[in-house]
Amino acid sequence: MRREIRLSGYGGQGLILAGIILAEAAMHDGHEVVQSQSYGPEARGGASRAEVIISDEPIDYPKVTNPDVLLLMSDQACKRFAGSACQGGTVIVDSGLITSIPETSGVVYKFPITDIAVEATGRSISANVAALGVLNTVAKLVSPESLKNAVSSRVPRGTAEVNLAALRAGIAAAEAAGAER
Amino acid sequence: MRREIRLSGYGGQGLILAGIILAEAAMHDGHEVVQSQSYGPEARGGASRAEVIISDEPIDYPKVTNPDVLLLMSDQACKRFAGSACQGGTVIVDSGLITSIPETSGVVYKFPITDIAVEATGRSISANVAALGVLNTVAKLVSPESLKNAVSSRVPRGTAEVNLAALRAGIAAAEAAGAER
Amino acid sequence: MPGHNGRDLRLLQGNECCAEAAILAGCRFFAGYPITPSTEIAELLSEKLPQVGGKFIQMEDEIASMAAVIGASLTGAKSMTATSGPGFSLKQENIGFASFTEVPCVIVNVQRTGPSTGLPTAPAQADLMQARWGTHGDHPIVALYPSTVPEVFDLTIKAFNIAEQLRVPVILLMDEVVGHMREKVAIPHQSEIEIVSRPQPDVPPEEYLPYAAGPDGVPPMAPFGTGYRWHVTGLYHDETGFPTTAAPKVDRLMKRLYSKIESAADEITFTSDEFLDDADTVVVACGITARSARRSVRLAREKGIRAGMVQLKTIWPFPYDLVGDIAGRVDRIIVPEMNMGQLIGEVERAAKGRCEVVGYSRVDGEPIAPAEIVAKIEEV
Amino acid sequence: MPGHNGRDLRLLQGNECCAEAAILAGCRFFAGYPITPSTEIAELLSEKLPQVGGKFIQMEDEIASMAAVIGASLTGAKSMTATSGPGFSLKQENIGFASFTEVPCVIVNVQRTGPSTGLPTAPAQADLMQARWGTHGDHPIVALYPSTVPEVFDLTIKAFNIAEQLRVPVILLMDEVVGHMREKVAIPHQSEIEIVSRPQPDVPPEEYLPYAAGPDGVPPMAPFGTGYRWHVTGLYHDETGFPTTAAPKVDRLMKRLYSKIESAADEITFTSDEFLDDADTVVVACGITARSARRSVRLAREKGIRAGMVQLKTIWPFPYDLVGDIAGRVDRIIVPEMNMGQLIGEVERAAKGRCEVVGYSRVDGEPIAPAEIVAKIEEV
Amino acid sequence: MTSAESPEVPVLVRQEWCKGCGICIAMCPKKVLEAAADGKVVLARPEDCIKCETCEIMCPDFAIRVVGGRSKEVARGREDVADARA
Amino acid sequence: MTSAESPEVPVLVRQEWCKGCGICIAMCPKKVLEAAADGKVVLARPEDCIKCETCEIMCPDFAIRVVGGRSKEVARGREDVADARA
Amino acid sequence: MAVPIDDYLRTQFMPHIWCPGCGHGIILGAVLRAIGRLDLPKDEVCIVSGIGCASRAPGYLDFNTVHTTHGRALAFATGIKIARPDLHVIVLTGDGDAAAIGGNHLIHAARRNVGLTTVMFNNSIYGMTNGQYSPMTPRGRYASTAPYGNVERNFDMCELVRAAGGNYVARATTAHARQLSNYVENAIQTPGFAFVEAVTQCPTYFGRRNKMGTPVDMIEWFRKNSINAAAAAKLDPADLDGKIIIGEFYRGDAPEYTEVYDEVIERAKEAAAR
Amino acid sequence: MAVPIDDYLRTQFMPHIWCPGCGHGIILGAVLRAIGRLDLPKDEVCIVSGIGCASRAPGYLDFNTVHTTHGRALAFATGIKIARPDLHVIVLTGDGDAAAIGGNHLIHAARRNVGLTTVMFNNSIYGMTNGQYSPMTPRGRYASTAPYGNVERNFDMCELVRAAGGNYVARATTAHARQLSNYVENAIQTPGFAFVEAVTQCPTYFGRRNKMGTPVDMIEWFRKNSINAAAAAKLDPADLDGKIIIGEFYRGDAPEYTEVYDEVIERAKEAAAR
Ligand SMILES: Cc1ncc(C[n+]2csc(CCOP(=O)(O)OP(=O)(O)O)c2C)c(N)n1
Ligand SMILES: Cc1ncc(C[n+]2csc(CCOP(=O)(O)OP(=O)(O)O)c2C)c(N)n1
Ligand code: SF4
Ligand code: SF4
Ligand code: SF4
Ligand code: SF4
Ligand code: SF4
Ligand code: SF4
Ligand SMILES: [Mg+2]
Ligand SMILES: [Mg+2]
């Protein structure tokens, strides 16, 4: 099975690192994986986008077109990509940052991701890892164990603890929401 | 008819200019003409070579292979090219500069060309034009009139008189020799 | 000195002739860096250009020369440079810029034996493919290739005219032998020479779109400093000239650059042939080798062989249709060239297997003699 | 972190992987000048090379980088550089020098959309022909082209090995997409990697002829500073390495340069194919496009169409025989490529009219999707 | 122009151009400017403005402009006014 | 070596290398050297030679060499001997 | 009357691509104010750049503008100026563009004394390609290709351009924007080759890598570490280590290239007439 | 004991291709005598050149020799030196090779202070291509591309290299062959980048075009028009017009590039071990 994931927001949110962490976790789960990101005129400030494909067979075409899982962390990203989600796909939005959600064929899950991160760690910079916690709990892409390991190995030296806290907070928020629904 | 002429000696003798003069004269006689010269490692000092092809039809292949007329003005040139003359071709050597002539299928004419020039003009630099006088008188390539005009128009400013004297001396020497033979 | 039909009859070196023709074609700017066997072009222009109010500059290298030529052309000056292999390699990046920004200019490459320093004073025909593919990225190119000094005159004029008409860099490939030989040239009067200049905008500056082309695909080009303030960039740009990354615009620009040359292909394809009608063996050649080819087919005819020849004066765009047609009619095409096999690749593409295609390469710094081609014609 | 078969499993960017593989291949010298999308290779090597006692230097431009790479290689150091289109254009003159003087080195070109500055962060496959013909004069070249990050690893090692084995510059062409994507790579231990080093003289210095080759056409190469004092020149040279203008020697050198690569062609031609046996439509592609091609033929098979594909991992020397054989067996060859038609020219040459050859070009900075190729396969 | 041009407003800020870098805020000798929640600049104390143009000259984004501008002499910068905060 | 190496000959001239440029002749402080008919150099007054090495140092063609050479000190050029004719 | 900056901008493309706090915009403002004070007609101004963040400037300016190839701006500009000596040709370039790949064109333009005004946006880094060291990065500083600190020394570009023959040479920083603008004005007015080095902040790469704080911090750093040429002359060279010397270093009156060439044209025409 | 020049020559290729009276041979002799006095092992000497008459030198020398592409000798040499810091890498180059097309590599090698000895054979002309003006041709002089007299000014190459960071800078002429040889010796001994400008005669092109007479006349001209740096310092700059200032201009002790890089290697190995 091939699953396409797109993480989008603005530069500085660390979404590319999030993509790498997710891909690395999937790799350690034994999946085939491709991670890529947008460069382009957006590179200088502005929008940011990371994509991951997780599959059980070798991945031939490595581009994401209609993501199964979509993370939206800015209004701009929302406007641009909400429509790209595949039918019934998982769309996760940072409800603390996003004011309105355009039409999408995916199922929308709202979490105040950045707020969750700030609450858990005091640092908005860990929102990317909190988002991973949310996303993986909702969409079940990789094993929680692998995700934890990947976070520890990929985040900057000395920030593992903070980030693991964010991850836990994200997971907890998603689980709580699941319980509620 | 296509006639191939090769003028060879060492750098500084002005043989390329001689080739240009000959070609220009032929052009004004209404012939097709190609003039070329060797470049190459020899360019820095050492050997020098100019070639002219005079023809009544357009000249397709523009390289001289077995010259009908060959002028040899150094021992080195003599060694290298004497053998290239075509069967029965005209081979003119500066007998004042050349010590020995290797085998050739051409007919050899010896003239102390540089000495003739020095005698006529006091300047060995005009040997190239004297050689043209000799050569054209023996081989009858272009009209004497055109040759004279070409000399006047191509030699450096202010040297026309000297060079015409050299030309006349070359012609005279060849005519005298013809009378003798 | 009045000559043929009242024209000025002159004995000129190929390089000299190129410089003389350039001035008659309207060239008023030359930037270059000396390199054998092209240098006489620069030398003569350093003398002649200021006489007609033009500018000559010797730059610090070939990269700068190519840049200066483009800069000058932006002000409206017809501009050129001349070089040989190593310098041609260095100019490539900026040739791509000229092609992409559609700045008319002429680049002469008097070829010598390469690669690298090679044999700087010996002839070779080994930059044909580089002329087509030397710069990075897709780019169309026009390249002309004379075989005689009179053709140098003619094709130099044409090079400027095509550059201006299509807003493209035009490459004039020359053989060392042609650059350095002297032949008779009848120089026409200026009034007899057809001169083309780049299209000018017919709208006021506010409405000027510097990269909006008409049906011929060639946008009008206002000289800098005349009230039309426009932007030139080597980034993908739209009709306004400003950068874009929009895929449809990127696609449109690239395709227009190709199609403007394709639409003009017939006008700018020059060839010359002999005995083609009934030939069953045809020699395809260019430059100095075409002269040997011409002689060789005459010699073959004398022996009763039905040989013919085509000289390609336009190398790029390559006349695939023309060569393909021939391939459909003959048994064999022979491609003699002073390289390891470059032209032959295009001939093979054009032939599509419809006839045998045989190459003859000579790569020792000596031109190919007619007898060598005759031998190839005779060997079946 | 032990992975597949005890190998080190890593998630690496194509560019990172290239740098890691280079070090494992024995690379100990890198000179470069930053340019998107290749810069990560330099960045990683600036960190890693000194860790293994190697040297990294950022030169003032790409010309100097290429020169420094050749200089370092003369001392025996396995050397490389990495760049993209504009820099690749600038390196051309010195690539010709490396080819002609037979100095092993690896040049990575992570392609972007050209010409000129183009779209610096968008992919294109438009430097294929430049890789072959970018420098002036005749010169053979070897160019490899990976489509996945694991292939980047493999072909980087091979690039160094071929460079050393044949004493040639080897070009590694990469797509921006491949350079920037991360995939799983199982890094073998150093001991598992076959490493080739340039042949060494087995004679004492007095008898050393630096350009005298054995039957494989590759002369032994003594590092500078080891007692073998020899001369390197970009002029034509004979077996002694000193300049010559003698036509037979000139001819012999040029032909040996070609034949040493031709004789090794089988060893250095890497391809991968799928469903070739019974295919009547075959897709020929390279790099990222080969991945789409692979998917497209699978999709076509699902629709019952007998489609197959070949991925060319070696672009130069081009596998004319292989492609020619296919042409003789199938109805149609489709050549999708992210350029205006480059690979297709070689496929046409190889096909010699034996089957239909159809191109599919995309030049807007976006990769070709499988569905586009499927559509092309379906359209007869 | 998001700020209306009225005599009471000494400097205009183009909100769409402002990137919230904070340079003008830091350089203003009179502390006229402050950052809004989104980082972009707002006029906190317009009445203190001395129209010294420092903000305009130091803004990398051409996003702030002193209304009316100063005399040519001053704009020329030829007077011996020291640089901002120097 | 066309000149035989004998104690009486202070400097040796390699005729095949000499291009007859005349530099050594002009620079020799003792007028030891002269040009032959072909321009190449000959020793006219070998007995006057002071083995100053000027000819050797100034010959662009490595064609003239002082027999035996001078002391290391002198060859080093470190002594305050002025340059040729300077 | 204020200088009409807006009239010089292609406002439709604003906001520009430069990062928040990037000093390039401050330099550009200084250049535009200089042009405005001189009241140069827009049609007679030509702006030429190479490639880099700095070199994106011309796209925003309503003059005759050319965004050329990396490092070659001065060579393009030389062609423009020689073909049209009446144009005011101003080259906006980065430290990589001008000092690395373009170094040769810079010294040759200075030697020829072609009438070009060059403003080098020196942020001591290759911004556009994400932060590699440049020939203006001081030894020991960090960059993406100098993970252990830069091995190389930086040029003193003003000294180099002066040694190459430049006719006007000055340096200021973004902390001295008024002074900078005055220097550019003087540069435009000096015939021959004029060079202004504008030291500027790249907070995104140089700043971040070297822990220099916010754009404001970087400007403050410039201000504190700058010293006027006159004052510097009185100090021991050792005390100047790490300092930025600002000021006008040279203002000459050597004849401008195109003027000398005009004499050649006269001579040539005479020769041809003979 | 005299220096064994013959042992350094590939005598089988003599006589060399240089024209009669060309000063290049005098400079080459001076270089070889310097190597001889220093008694450098032949296997440890590497000579690198570009393209030009001057650049043909390495072919005649029995060391590790490379005749590269035009203008790039210093970039090749940088690669050699960095890969093998123990080699003595000496670059022999012309004024066209080093100052025109190669100018950028020259200033960058000087800036980096790579341990290379560069001897620039300055004949103020492009000899190999038959006499075009070079960046070292003074204004007003004639050349095949300056038929009306050269429009451009020449570089003061010693000043430029010094400004770029060169650690040793000196100039002499072929009329000062002993001095020249001493400078080359000092250059080789100075760590870091060393530059010696050797002013020389090209009788064939520069001499003939400018009516400078025989090679001997040209050497005499150098001798008469040269002035020692110390003496020059006392004169009015105007009196120095057209003069050749000779002498050692600078001798520094800045750390050499490869030595600084060795520290990077140490730091990197430590980092990797961590
Ligand atoms: C020939 C070539 N080489 C390299 C590049 C990549 N490149 C683009 S901009 C740049 C450096 C820009 O640095 P600088 O000039 O200092 O400008 P900044 O971005 O710092 O303002 C480089 C190396 C290129 N575009 N072309
Ligand atoms: C890229 C390139 N451009 C131009 C040339 C032609 N060329 C060869 S040598 C030379 C100039 C040599 O001048 P210089 O370095 O002063 O040496 P000289 O011959 O005067 O000793 C030139 C322009 C070349 N070989 N390669
Ligand atoms: S003009 Fe001066 S005082 Fe007024 S806001 Fe701007 S910086 Fe502050
Ligand atoms: S300086 Fe400009 S961009 Fe920065 S906060 Fe002030 S107005 Fe906004
Ligand atoms: S050694 Fe001195 S004195 Fe003797 S011949 Fe030579 S120059 Fe004259
Ligand atoms: S200096 Fe040398 S080449 Fe010249 S004449 Fe004397 S020995 Fe002969
Ligand atoms: S990367 Fe640096 S130089 Fe480029 S725009 Fe951003 S701050 Fe400015
Ligand atoms: S052309 Fe000039 S530089 Fe070259 S060898 Fe002859 S004299 Fe020397
Ligand atoms: Mg910069
Ligand atoms: Mg020179």
Side-chain angles (χ1 to χ4, degrees), chain F residues 1 14 16-24 26-27 52-54 56-62 64-65 68-72 74-79 81-86, chain H residues 1-3 5-6 9 11 14-23 25-26 28-29 32-33 36-38 174-179 182 185-186 189 201 215-216 219-220 223:
Chain F
M1 294 293 142
R14 274 182 278 216
E16 329 81 85
W17 293 15
C18 170
K19 290 181 185 142
C21 67
I23 291 176
C24 60
M27 299 294 154
C52 67
E53 288 188 345
T54 298
E56 178 171 335
I57 285 168
M58 293 301 289
C59 171
D61 288 86
F62 305 100
I64 190 163
R65 189 154 67 76
R70 306 185 71 201
S71 72
K72 182 126 187 170
V74 176
R76 280 183 58 82
R78 280 301 183 201
E79 87 281 43
V81 165
D83 272 336
R85 309 193 53 186
Chain H
M1 195 201 70
V3 159
I5 297 276
D6 270 29
L9 291 174
T11 51
M14 301 292 284
H16 54 53
I17 56 152
W18 290 325
C19 303
C22 172
I26 301 176
L28 185 57
L32 294 180
R33 283 179 188 90
R37 289 192 302 273
L38 292 168
T174 48
H176 310 82
R178 280 191 173 85
Q179 215 164 313
N182 291 343
E185 185 180 344
N186 294 346
Q189 287 179 295
Q201 71 274 14
V216 171
I219 294 173
E220 287 301 324
R223 199 174 55 76

Side-chain angles (χ1 to χ4, degrees), chain F residues 10-11 24-25 27-33 43 45-46 48-57 64-67 70 84, chain H residues 178:
Chain F
V11 302
C24 60
I25 300 171
M27 299 294 154
C28 171
K30 293 293 171 186
K31 301 278 159 244
V32 172
L33 309 166
L43 273 69
R45 280 165 292 277
D48 289 353
C49 174
I50 55 166
K51 295 201 172 193
C52 67
E53 288 188 345
T54 298
C55 54
E56 178 171 335
I57 285 168
I64 190 163
R65 189 154 67 76
V66 176
V67 176
R70 306 185 71 201
Chain H
R178 280 191 173 85

Side-chain angles (χ1 to χ4, degrees), chain A residues 82-163:
Chain A
S84 72
C86 77
Q87 192 64 43
T90 305
V91 179
I92 295 167
V93 302
D94 185 330
S95 51
L97 298 179
I98 283 169
T99 48
S100 81
I101 302 164
E103 204 154 318
T104 168
S105 23
V107 181
V108 178
Y109 298 80
K110 299 183 192 177
F111 293 89
I113 298 174
T114 306
D115 299 342
I116 293 168
V118 171
E119 196 169 309
T121 68
R123 298 168 60 182
S124 66
I125 188 79
S126 60
N128 57 345
V129 174
L132 282 180
V134 170
L135 179 146
N136 194 50
T137 309
V138 174
K140 308 246 173 307
L141 296 164
V142 298
S143 71
E145 194 56 26
S146 291
L147 189 58
K148 220 182 89 186
N149 290 340
V151 167
S152 306
S153 79
R154 284 282 186 172
V155 296
R157 269 168 204 248
T159 69
E161 263 328 302
V162 170
N163 279 294

Side-chain angles (χ1 to χ4, degrees), chain C residues 40-349:
Chain C
E40 294 84 359
I41 299 175
E43 289 173 341
L44 199 63
L45 287 173
S46 73
E47 187 188 329
K48 299 268 170 167
L49 272 174
Q51 294 181 351
V52 296
K55 309 288 173 80
F56 169 93
I57 187 168
Q58 191 174 287
M59 295 296 285
E60 53 275 19
D61 64 14
E62 288 89 350
I63 298 173
S65 306
M66 192 63 221
V69 159
I70 298 170
S73 184
L74 286 171
T75 71
K78 294 190 183 181
S79 304
M80 88 184 290
T81 185
T83 189
S84 186
F88 196 52
S89 289
L90 291 172
K91 285 181 199 287
Q92 290 300 333
E93 190 196 5
N94 283 337
I95 291 176
F97 182 88
S99 164
F100 198 42
T101 55
E102 302 177 72
V103 179
C105 55
V106 173
I107 302 118
V108 184
N109 175 359
V110 187
Q111 295 164 95
R112 57 194 229 183
T113 305
S116 196
T117 310
L119 292 176
T121 55
Q125 306 185 300
D127 302 348
L128 265 72
M129 292 300 283
Q130 187 193 24
R132 176 69 192 85
W133 299 109
T135 194
H136 62 283
D138 283 312
H139 60 282
I141 206 85
V142 176
L144 309 181
Y145 205 152
S147 74
T148 68
V149 178
E151 279 177 20
V152 169
F153 187 87
D154 193 38
L155 294 182
T156 301
I157 304 273
K158 286 196 162 71
F160 276 95
N161 285 351
I162 294 169
E164 296 283 321
Q165 178 195 334
L166 298 178
R167 286 189 60 181
V168 289
V170 174
I171 291 162
L172 187 72
L173 284 176
M174 259 158 79
D175 293 314
E176 180 276 338
V177 188
V178 175
H180 278 161
M181 70 167 53
R182 285 183 181 79
E183 292 191 284
K184 179 167 74 177
V185 195
I187 307 272
H189 289 130
Q190 178 78 66
S191 61
E192 290 175 79
I193 301 171
E194 199 211 353
I195 301 291
V196 179
S197 291
R198 58 195 74 175
Q200 292 299 312
D202 54 9
V203 294
E206 318 81 74
E207 292 167 32
Y208 180 51
L209 287 173
Y211 289 94
D216 61 356
V218 186
M221 181 172 178
F224 269 22
T226 59
Y228 292 79
R229 295 186 304 276
W230 53 293
H231 185 57
V232 181
T233 177
L235 287 166
Y236 271 86
H237 42 275
D238 61 18
E239 298 192 336
T240 65
F242 295 106
T244 180
T245 57
K249 290 181 172 183
V250 167
D251 181 78
R252 199 176 316 136
L253 171 57
M254 177 46 64
K255 291 193 173 145
R256 178 174 62 74
L257 293 178
Y258 271 69
S259 68
K260 73 174 176 180
I261 291 181
E262 270 157 35
S263 347
D266 285 348
E267 281 170 68
I268 62 173
T269 300
F270 310 110
T271 61
S272 143
D273 56 58
E274 202 147 328
F275 308 125
L276 264 196
D277 288 350
D278 64 342
D280 40 41
T281 296
V282 166
V283 184
V284 177
C286 55
I288 188 74
T289 308
R291 295 173 74 141
S292 292
R294 201 175 289 276
R295 167 100 137 219
S296 76
V297 298
R298 287 183 189 157
L299 292 171
R301 288 274 164 178
E302 283 172 17
K303 298 186 182 198
I305 303 172
R306 291 203 299 199
M309 63 84 66
V310 198
Q311 176 197 349
L312 305 181
K313 295 184 189 176
T314 301
I315 297 290
W316 303 112
F318 188 86
Y320 293 105
D321 291 347
L322 177 96
V323 174
D325 280 354
I326 294 172
R329 291 190 336 245
V330 305
D331 298 336
R332 261 190 344 146
I333 292 179
I334 295 172
V335 190
E337 45 185 336
M338 294 171 60
N339 59 48
M340 291 292 286
Q342 299 198 8
L343 202 56
I344 191 175
E346 304 312 302
V347 173
E348 283 176 346
R349 270 187 80 180

Side-chain angles (χ1 to χ4, degrees), chain E residues 44-60:
Chain E
R45 282 166 289 279
E47 61 284 4
D48 290 352
C49 174
I50 55 167
K51 294 203 174 192
C52 69
E53 289 188 344
T54 299
C55 54
E56 177 171 338
I57 285 167
M58 294 301 289
C59 171

